[in-house]
Amino acid sequence: MIEFMSESSGNTLGIHASGKLTKTDYETILIPKLAELFKAHGQLNIVFYMDETFQGWDLEAAWDDASYGLMHRADFGKLAVVGGPAWVDRSIRLIGFLIKGEIRVFGSDQLAQAWQWIRT
């Protein structure tokens, strides 16, 4: 499930992910919102927070995530990845070079620090 965080404003979007993300989450919630914000602001800053219930992506959602991210790889200024299982951290470190913007990984208890970093 994807929800947008109330701290979001302007070109900064907070995404709260829980459970298992699906293709429907991407097609009906996330991609339309990102498209709207890219059109309005160009480059975006993202806080991607995975709570303790986060279980990852189904295969179609993982494909949507990867393909959309690569299509917009130069359109992210900062990306803060917060929480999630250890394999997410390792994956971000392995493929982070594909994104032109700056990426930082924060522990699940560092959401406030992630927001502070994304706004500086």
PDB file of all heavy atoms in Angstrom, residues 6-40:
ATOM      1  N   SER A   6       1.986  13.616   4.976  1.00  0.00           N
ATOM      2  CA  SER A   6       1.487  14.984   5.126  1.00  0.00           C
ATOM      3  C   SER A   6       2.601  16.028   5.069  1.00  0.00           C
ATOM      4  O   SER A   6       2.337  17.193   4.780  1.00  0.00           O
ATOM      5  CB  SER A   6       0.716  15.121   6.447  1.00  0.00           C
ATOM      6  OG  SER A   6       1.566  14.865   7.544  1.00  0.00           O
ATOM      7  N   GLU A   7       3.829  15.638   5.288  1.00  0.00           N
ATOM      8  CA  GLU A   7       4.965  16.564   5.213  1.00  0.00           C
ATOM      9  C   GLU A   7       5.311  16.956   3.784  1.00  0.00           C
ATOM     10  O   GLU A   7       6.115  17.854   3.558  1.00  0.00           O
ATOM     11  CB  GLU A   7       6.216  15.946   5.867  1.00  0.00           C
ATOM     12  CG  GLU A   7       6.076  15.659   7.339  1.00  0.00           C
ATOM     13  CD  GLU A   7       5.510  14.273   7.648  1.00  0.00           C
ATOM     14  OE1 GLU A   7       4.967  13.601   6.745  1.00  0.00           O
ATOM     15  OE2 GLU A   7       5.599  13.868   8.815  1.00  0.00           O
ATOM     16  N   SER A   8       4.722  16.302   2.809  1.00  0.00           N
ATOM     17  CA  SER A   8       4.996  16.580   1.391  1.00  0.00           C
ATOM     18  C   SER A   8       4.570  17.998   1.043  1.00  0.00           C
ATOM     19  O   SER A   8       3.528  18.472   1.492  1.00  0.00           O
ATOM     20  CB  SER A   8       4.224  15.602   0.497  1.00  0.00           C
ATOM     21  OG  SER A   8       4.549  14.266   0.804  1.00  0.00           O
ATOM     22  N   SER A   9       5.398  18.654   0.225  1.00  0.00           N
ATOM     23  CA  SER A   9       5.021  19.972  -0.289  1.00  0.00           C
ATOM     24  C   SER A   9       5.937  20.326  -1.455  1.00  0.00           C
ATOM     25  O   SER A   9       7.093  19.905  -1.509  1.00  0.00           O
ATOM     26  CB  SER A   9       5.115  21.046   0.802  1.00  0.00           C
ATOM     27  OG  SER A   9       6.450  21.231   1.201  1.00  0.00           O
ATOM     28  N   GLY A  10       5.386  21.075  -2.395  1.00  0.00           N
ATOM     29  CA  GLY A  10       6.168  21.513  -3.547  1.00  0.00           C
ATOM     30  C   GLY A  10       6.771  20.337  -4.295  1.00  0.00           C
ATOM     31  O   GLY A  10       6.068  19.408  -4.677  1.00  0.00           O
ATOM     32  N   ASN A  11       8.103  20.391  -4.471  1.00  0.00           N
ATOM     33  CA  ASN A  11       8.781  19.333  -5.217  1.00  0.00           C
ATOM     34  C   ASN A  11       9.299  18.214  -4.310  1.00  0.00           C
ATOM     35  O   ASN A  11      10.108  17.401  -4.718  1.00  0.00           O
ATOM     36  CB  ASN A  11       9.939  19.911  -6.036  1.00  0.00           C
ATOM     37  CG  ASN A  11      11.122  20.310  -5.174  1.00  0.00           C
ATOM     38  OD1 ASN A  11      10.969  20.667  -4.010  1.00  0.00           O
ATOM     39  ND2 ASN A  11      12.300  20.261  -5.750  1.00  0.00           N
ATOM     40  N   THR A  12       8.813  18.177  -3.069  1.00  0.00           N
ATOM     41  CA  THR A  12       9.228  17.146  -2.119  1.00  0.00           C
ATOM     42  C   THR A  12       8.037  16.262  -1.782  1.00  0.00           C
ATOM     43  O   THR A  12       7.002  16.752  -1.336  1.00  0.00           O
ATOM     44  CB  THR A  12       9.797  17.785  -0.836  1.00  0.00           C
ATOM     45  OG1 THR A  12      10.922  18.596  -1.199  1.00  0.00           O
ATOM     46  CG2 THR A  12      10.235  16.732   0.151  1.00  0.00           C
ATOM     47  N   LEU A  13       8.211  14.960  -2.008  1.00  0.00           N
ATOM     48  CA  LEU A  13       7.130  14.003  -1.797  1.00  0.00           C
ATOM     49  C   LEU A  13       7.567  12.934  -0.810  1.00  0.00           C
ATOM     50  O   LEU A  13       8.618  12.314  -0.983  1.00  0.00           O
ATOM     51  CB  LEU A  13       6.741  13.343  -3.125  1.00  0.00           C
ATOM     52  CG  LEU A  13       5.623  12.302  -3.067  1.00  0.00           C
ATOM     53  CD1 LEU A  13       4.305  12.954  -2.637  1.00  0.00           C
ATOM     54  CD2 LEU A  13       5.466  11.615  -4.418  1.00  0.00           C
ATOM     55  N   GLY A  14       6.765  12.727   0.210  1.00  0.00           N
ATOM     56  CA  GLY A  14       6.974  11.638   1.146  1.00  0.00           C
ATOM     57  C   GLY A  14       6.053  10.489   0.795  1.00  0.00           C
ATOM     58  O   GLY A  14       4.845  10.671   0.643  1.00  0.00           O
ATOM     59  N   ILE A  15       6.626   9.306   0.643  1.00  0.00           N
ATOM     60  CA  ILE A  15       5.880   8.104   0.280  1.00  0.00           C
ATOM     61  C   ILE A  15       5.991   7.117   1.433  1.00  0.00           C
ATOM     62  O   ILE A  15       7.096   6.756   1.841  1.00  0.00           O
ATOM     63  CB  ILE A  15       6.439   7.478  -1.008  1.00  0.00           C
ATOM     64  CG1 ILE A  15       6.361   8.474  -2.163  1.00  0.00           C
ATOM     65  CG2 ILE A  15       5.708   6.177  -1.333  1.00  0.00           C
ATOM     66  CD1 ILE A  15       7.215   8.092  -3.351  1.00  0.00           C
ATOM     67  N   HIS A  16       4.858   6.685   1.956  1.00  0.00           N
ATOM     68  CA  HIS A  16       4.806   5.699   3.035  1.00  0.00           C
ATOM     69  C   HIS A  16       4.373   4.375   2.408  1.00  0.00           C
ATOM     70  O   HIS A  16       3.259   4.258   1.901  1.00  0.00           O
ATOM     71  CB  HIS A  16       3.820   6.160   4.104  1.00  0.00           C
ATOM     72  CG  HIS A  16       3.651   5.185   5.220  1.00  0.00           C
ATOM     73  ND1 HIS A  16       2.768   5.402   6.240  1.00  0.00           N
ATOM     74  CD2 HIS A  16       4.235   3.988   5.487  1.00  0.00           C
ATOM     75  CE1 HIS A  16       2.810   4.382   7.073  1.00  0.00           C
ATOM     76  NE2 HIS A  16       3.690   3.516   6.638  1.00  0.00           N
ATOM     77  N   ALA A  17       5.266   3.394   2.448  1.00  0.00           N
ATOM     78  CA  ALA A  17       4.981   2.082   1.871  1.00  0.00           C
ATOM     79  C   ALA A  17       4.774   1.061   2.981  1.00  0.00           C
ATOM     80  O   ALA A  17       5.545   1.014   3.942  1.00  0.00           O
ATOM     81  CB  ALA A  17       6.137   1.646   0.978  1.00  0.00           C
ATOM     82  N   SER A  18       3.732   0.264   2.832  1.00  0.00           N
ATOM     83  CA  SER A  18       3.461  -0.797   3.800  1.00  0.00           C
ATOM     84  C   SER A  18       2.957  -2.031   3.058  1.00  0.00           C
ATOM     85  O   SER A  18       2.488  -1.937   1.930  1.00  0.00           O
ATOM     86  CB  SER A  18       2.429  -0.329   4.834  1.00  0.00           C
ATOM     87  OG  SER A  18       1.228   0.036   4.210  1.00  0.00           O
ATOM     88  N   GLY A  19       3.073  -3.179   3.716  1.00  0.00           N
ATOM     89  CA  GLY A  19       2.625  -4.423   3.087  1.00  0.00           C
ATOM     90  C   GLY A  19       3.446  -4.730   1.846  1.00  0.00           C
ATOM     91  O   GLY A  19       4.622  -4.411   1.771  1.00  0.00           O
ATOM     92  N   LYS A  20       2.808  -5.340   0.876  1.00  0.00           N
ATOM     93  CA  LYS A  20       3.472  -5.661  -0.395  1.00  0.00           C
ATOM     94  C   LYS A  20       2.948  -4.725  -1.461  1.00  0.00           C
ATOM     95  O   LYS A  20       1.735  -4.625  -1.672  1.00  0.00           O
ATOM     96  CB  LYS A  20       3.226  -7.111  -0.790  1.00  0.00           C
ATOM     97  CG  LYS A  20       3.959  -7.493  -2.080  1.00  0.00           C
ATOM     98  CD  LYS A  20       3.969  -8.963  -2.308  1.00  0.00           C
ATOM     99  CE  LYS A  20       5.242  -9.489  -1.700  1.00  0.00           C
ATOM    100  NZ  LYS A  20       5.628 -10.795  -2.191  1.00  0.00           N
ATOM    101  N   LEU A  21       3.857  -4.026  -2.153  1.00  0.00           N
ATOM    102  CA  LEU A  21       3.453  -3.106  -3.208  1.00  0.00           C
ATOM    103  C   LEU A  21       3.107  -3.876  -4.474  1.00  0.00           C
ATOM    104  O   LEU A  21       3.787  -4.834  -4.837  1.00  0.00           O
ATOM    105  CB  LEU A  21       4.560  -2.095  -3.482  1.00  0.00           C
ATOM    106  CG  LEU A  21       4.968  -1.238  -2.282  1.00  0.00           C
ATOM    107  CD1 LEU A  21       5.998  -0.193  -2.705  1.00  0.00           C
ATOM    108  CD2 LEU A  21       3.770  -0.584  -1.639  1.00  0.00           C
ATOM    109  N   THR A  22       2.042  -3.427  -5.141  1.00  0.00           N
ATOM    110  CA  THR A  22       1.540  -4.110  -6.326  1.00  0.00           C
ATOM    111  C   THR A  22       1.577  -3.197  -7.544  1.00  0.00           C
ATOM    112  O   THR A  22       1.742  -1.981  -7.419  1.00  0.00           O
ATOM    113  CB  THR A  22       0.086  -4.562  -6.117  1.00  0.00           C
ATOM    114  OG1 THR A  22      -0.738  -3.393  -6.009  1.00  0.00           O
ATOM    115  CG2 THR A  22      -0.061  -5.429  -4.866  1.00  0.00           C
ATOM    116  N   LYS A  23       1.381  -3.798  -8.686  1.00  0.00           N
ATOM    117  CA  LYS A  23       1.287  -3.046  -9.935  1.00  0.00           C
ATOM    118  C   LYS A  23       0.177  -2.000  -9.842  1.00  0.00           C
ATOM    119  O   LYS A  23       0.338  -0.871 -10.302  1.00  0.00           O
ATOM    120  CB  LYS A  23       1.036  -4.011 -11.094  1.00  0.00           C
ATOM    121  CG  LYS A  23       0.963  -3.355 -12.458  1.00  0.00           C
ATOM    122  CD  LYS A  23       0.811  -4.405 -13.534  1.00  0.00           C
ATOM    123  CE  LYS A  23       0.816  -3.809 -14.922  1.00  0.00           C
ATOM    124  NZ  LYS A  23       2.111  -3.274 -15.335  1.00  0.00           N
ATOM    125  N   THR A  24      -0.931  -2.346  -9.225  1.00  0.00           N
ATOM    126  CA  THR A  24      -2.049  -1.406  -9.054  1.00  0.00           C
ATOM    127  C   THR A  24      -1.622  -0.196  -8.229  1.00  0.00           C
ATOM    128  O   THR A  24      -1.998   0.933  -8.543  1.00  0.00           O
ATOM    129  CB  THR A  24      -3.253  -2.113  -8.401  1.00  0.00           C
ATOM    130  OG1 THR A  24      -3.647  -3.203  -9.248  1.00  0.00           O
ATOM    131  CG2 THR A  24      -4.421  -1.167  -8.209  1.00  0.00           C
ATOM    132  N   ASP A  25      -0.826  -0.412  -7.168  1.00  0.00           N
ATOM    133  CA  ASP A  25      -0.310   0.709  -6.378  1.00  0.00           C
ATOM    134  C   ASP A  25       0.455   1.688  -7.270  1.00  0.00           C
ATOM    135  O   ASP A  25       0.324   2.903  -7.130  1.00  0.00           O
ATOM    136  CB  ASP A  25       0.631   0.220  -5.270  1.00  0.00           C
ATOM    137  CG  ASP A  25      -0.076  -0.560  -4.183  1.00  0.00           C
ATOM    138  OD1 ASP A  25      -1.231  -0.217  -3.856  1.00  0.00           O
ATOM    139  OD2 ASP A  25       0.538  -1.506  -3.645  1.00  0.00           O
ATOM    140  N   TYR A  26       1.254   1.147  -8.158  1.00  0.00           N
ATOM    141  CA  TYR A  26       2.052   1.997  -9.045  1.00  0.00           C
ATOM    142  C   TYR A  26       1.190   2.685 -10.098  1.00  0.00           C
ATOM    143  O   TYR A  26       1.308   3.881 -10.316  1.00  0.00           O
ATOM    144  CB  TYR A  26       3.177   1.178  -9.700  1.00  0.00           C
ATOM    145  CG  TYR A  26       4.384   1.110  -8.805  1.00  0.00           C
ATOM    146  CD1 TYR A  26       4.420   0.235  -7.724  1.00  0.00           C
ATOM    147  CD2 TYR A  26       5.466   1.953  -8.994  1.00  0.00           C
ATOM    148  CE1 TYR A  26       5.497   0.197  -6.867  1.00  0.00           C
ATOM    149  CE2 TYR A  26       6.557   1.922  -8.147  1.00  0.00           C
ATOM    150  CZ  TYR A  26       6.563   1.041  -7.085  1.00  0.00           C
ATOM    151  OH  TYR A  26       7.634   1.024  -6.221  1.00  0.00           O
ATOM    152  N   GLU A  27       0.330   1.910 -10.767  1.00  0.00           N
ATOM    153  CA  GLU A  27      -0.442   2.458 -11.884  1.00  0.00           C
ATOM    154  C   GLU A  27      -1.526   3.443 -11.458  1.00  0.00           C
ATOM    155  O   GLU A  27      -1.830   4.370 -12.202  1.00  0.00           O
ATOM    156  CB  GLU A  27      -1.066   1.319 -12.693  1.00  0.00           C
ATOM    157  CG  GLU A  27      -0.036   0.542 -13.478  1.00  0.00           C
ATOM    158  CD  GLU A  27      -0.653  -0.576 -14.290  1.00  0.00           C
ATOM    159  OE1 GLU A  27      -1.830  -0.939 -14.071  1.00  0.00           O
ATOM    160  OE2 GLU A  27       0.060  -1.101 -15.168  1.00  0.00           O
ATOM    161  N   THR A  28      -2.116   3.240 -10.291  1.00  0.00           N
ATOM    162  CA  THR A  28      -3.244   4.097  -9.898  1.00  0.00           C
ATOM    163  C   THR A  28      -2.897   5.145  -8.846  1.00  0.00           C
ATOM    164  O   THR A  28      -3.639   6.110  -8.684  1.00  0.00           O
ATOM    165  CB  THR A  28      -4.428   3.254  -9.379  1.00  0.00           C
ATOM    166  OG1 THR A  28      -4.034   2.567  -8.194  1.00  0.00           O
ATOM    167  CG2 THR A  28      -4.902   2.276 -10.444  1.00  0.00           C
ATOM    168  N   ILE A  29      -1.785   4.956  -8.134  1.00  0.00           N
ATOM    169  CA  ILE A  29      -1.451   5.882  -7.060  1.00  0.00           C
ATOM    170  C   ILE A  29      -0.121   6.595  -7.314  1.00  0.00           C
ATOM    171  O   ILE A  29      -0.075   7.816  -7.448  1.00  0.00           O
ATOM    172  CB  ILE A  29      -1.414   5.150  -5.695  1.00  0.00           C
ATOM    173  CG1 ILE A  29      -2.785   4.535  -5.389  1.00  0.00           C
ATOM    174  CG2 ILE A  29      -0.995   6.098  -4.575  1.00  0.00           C
ATOM    175  CD1 ILE A  29      -2.787   3.571  -4.225  1.00  0.00           C
ATOM    176  N   LEU A  30       0.965   5.838  -7.364  1.00  0.00           N
ATOM    177  CA  LEU A  30       2.290   6.461  -7.378  1.00  0.00           C
ATOM    178  C   LEU A  30       2.648   7.131  -8.700  1.00  0.00           C
ATOM    179  O   LEU A  30       3.036   8.303  -8.721  1.00  0.00           O
ATOM    180  CB  LEU A  30       3.363   5.439  -6.994  1.00  0.00           C
ATOM    181  CG  LEU A  30       4.769   6.010  -6.856  1.00  0.00           C
ATOM    182  CD1 LEU A  30       4.817   7.123  -5.817  1.00  0.00           C
ATOM    183  CD2 LEU A  30       5.762   4.916  -6.517  1.00  0.00           C
ATOM    184  N   ILE A  31       2.538   6.428  -9.796  1.00  0.00           N
ATOM    185  CA  ILE A  31       2.966   7.001 -11.080  1.00  0.00           C
ATOM    186  C   ILE A  31       2.145   8.237 -11.461  1.00  0.00           C
ATOM    187  O   ILE A  31       2.726   9.241 -11.888  1.00  0.00           O
ATOM    188  CB  ILE A  31       3.000   5.927 -12.192  1.00  0.00           C
ATOM    189  CG1 ILE A  31       4.153   4.951 -11.892  1.00  0.00           C
ATOM    190  CG2 ILE A  31       3.158   6.560 -13.567  1.00  0.00           C
ATOM    191  CD1 ILE A  31       4.254   3.773 -12.818  1.00  0.00           C
ATOM    192  N   PRO A  32       0.823   8.243 -11.290  1.00  0.00           N
ATOM    193  CA  PRO A  32       0.092   9.481 -11.587  1.00  0.00           C
ATOM    194  C   PRO A  32       0.550  10.672 -10.734  1.00  0.00           C
ATOM    195  O   PRO A  32       0.672  11.790 -11.235  1.00  0.00           O
ATOM    196  CB  PRO A  32      -1.366   9.125 -11.308  1.00  0.00           C
ATOM    197  CG  PRO A  32      -1.437   7.641 -11.480  1.00  0.00           C
ATOM    198  CD  PRO A  32      -0.105   7.134 -10.993  1.00  0.00           C
ATOM    199  N   LYS A  33       0.829  10.429  -9.459  1.00  0.00           N
ATOM    200  CA  LYS A  33       1.282  11.510  -8.579  1.00  0.00           C
ATOM    201  C   LYS A  33       2.666  12.003  -9.001  1.00  0.00           C
ATOM    202  O   LYS A  33       2.906  13.221  -9.073  1.00  0.00           O
ATOM    203  CB  LYS A  33       1.310  11.023  -7.126  1.00  0.00           C
ATOM    204  CG  LYS A  33       1.723  12.074  -6.138  1.00  0.00           C
ATOM    205  CD  LYS A  33       0.692  13.183  -6.051  1.00  0.00           C
ATOM    206  CE  LYS A  33       0.917  14.068  -4.855  1.00  0.00           C
ATOM    207  NZ  LYS A  33      -0.118  15.102  -4.740  1.00  0.00           N
ATOM    208  N   LEU A  34       3.573  11.087  -9.290  1.00  0.00           N
ATOM    209  CA  LEU A  34       4.901  11.487  -9.745  1.00  0.00           C
ATOM    210  C   LEU A  34       4.827  12.255 -11.055  1.00  0.00           C
ATOM    211  O   LEU A  34       5.500  13.284 -11.222  1.00  0.00           O
ATOM    212  CB  LEU A  34       5.817  10.268  -9.892  1.00  0.00           C
ATOM    213  CG  LEU A  34       6.250   9.588  -8.596  1.00  0.00           C
ATOM    214  CD1 LEU A  34       7.026   8.318  -8.901  1.00  0.00           C
ATOM    215  CD2 LEU A  34       7.058  10.524  -7.723  1.00  0.00           C
ATOM    216  N   ALA A  35       4.011  11.791 -11.988  1.00  0.00           N
ATOM    217  CA  ALA A  35       3.865  12.474 -13.278  1.00  0.00           C
ATOM    218  C   ALA A  35       3.365  13.906 -13.070  1.00  0.00           C
ATOM    219  O   ALA A  35       3.863  14.848 -13.700  1.00  0.00           O
ATOM    220  CB  ALA A  35       2.924  11.693 -14.184  1.00  0.00           C
ATOM    221  N   GLU A  36       2.396  14.076 -12.191  1.00  0.00           N
ATOM    222  CA  GLU A  36       1.861  15.406 -11.877  1.00  0.00           C
ATOM    223  C   GLU A  36       2.958  16.311 -11.311  1.00  0.00           C
ATOM    224  O   GLU A  36       3.096  17.473 -11.723  1.00  0.00           O
ATOM    225  CB  GLU A  36       0.723  15.243 -10.864  1.00  0.00           C
ATOM    226  CG  GLU A  36       0.227  16.518 -10.233  1.00  0.00           C
ATOM    227  CD  GLU A  36      -0.672  16.234  -9.032  1.00  0.00           C
ATOM    228  OE1 GLU A  36      -1.401  15.221  -9.041  1.00  0.00           O
ATOM    229  OE2 GLU A  36      -0.623  17.034  -8.084  1.00  0.00           O
ATOM    230  N   LEU A  37       3.744  15.773 -10.388  1.00  0.00           N
ATOM    231  CA  LEU A  37       4.795  16.573  -9.757  1.00  0.00           C
ATOM    232  C   LEU A  37       5.963  16.853 -10.698  1.00  0.00           C
ATOM    233  O   LEU A  37       6.529  17.950 -10.676  1.00  0.00           O
ATOM    234  CB  LEU A  37       5.278  15.897  -8.474  1.00  0.00           C
ATOM    235  CG  LEU A  37       4.248  15.856  -7.346  1.00  0.00           C
ATOM    236  CD1 LEU A  37       4.773  15.043  -6.177  1.00  0.00           C
ATOM    237  CD2 LEU A  37       3.867  17.264  -6.909  1.00  0.00           C
ATOM    238  N   PHE A  38       6.340  15.880 -11.522  1.00  0.00           N
ATOM    239  CA  PHE A  38       7.400  16.134 -12.514  1.00  0.00           C
ATOM    240  C   PHE A  38       6.973  17.248 -13.459  1.00  0.00           C
ATOM    241  O   PHE A  38       7.769  18.125 -13.802  1.00  0.00           O
ATOM    242  CB  PHE A  38       7.732  14.868 -13.319  1.00  0.00           C
ATOM    243  CG  PHE A  38       8.626  13.901 -12.609  1.00  0.00           C
ATOM    244  CD1 PHE A  38       8.299  12.557 -12.540  1.00  0.00           C
ATOM    245  CD2 PHE A  38       9.807  14.314 -12.010  1.00  0.00           C
ATOM    246  CE1 PHE A  38       9.123  11.651 -11.897  1.00  0.00           C
ATOM    247  CE2 PHE A  38      10.644  13.420 -11.362  1.00  0.00           C
ATOM    248  CZ  PHE A  38      10.302  12.082 -11.308  1.00  0.00           C
ATOM    249  N   LYS A  39       5.719  17.228 -13.892  1.00  0.00           N
ATOM    250  CA  LYS A  39       5.210  18.250 -14.797  1.00  0.00           C
ATOM    251  C   LYS A  39       5.233  19.631 -14.138  1.00  0.00           C
ATOM    252  O   LYS A  39       5.582  20.625 -14.754  1.00  0.00           O
ATOM    253  CB  LYS A  39       3.794  17.902 -15.251  1.00  0.00           C
ATOM    254  CG  LYS A  39       3.240  18.841 -16.280  1.00  0.00           C
ATOM    255  CD  LYS A  39       1.873  18.390 -16.770  1.00  0.00           C
ATOM    256  CE  LYS A  39       1.354  19.353 -17.823  1.00  0.00           C
ATOM    257  NZ  LYS A  39       0.041  18.970 -18.301  1.00  0.00           N
ATOM    258  N   ALA A  40       4.877  19.684 -12.872  1.00  0.00           N
ATOM    259  CA  ALA A  40       4.800  20.964 -12.154  1.00  0.00           C
ATOM    260  C   ALA A  40       6.165  21.489 -11.713  1.00  0.00           C
ATOM    261  O   ALA A  40       6.381  22.699 -11.698  1.00  0.00           O
ATOM    262  CB  ALA A  40       3.887  20.823 -10.935  1.00  0.00           C
TER     263      ALA A  40
END
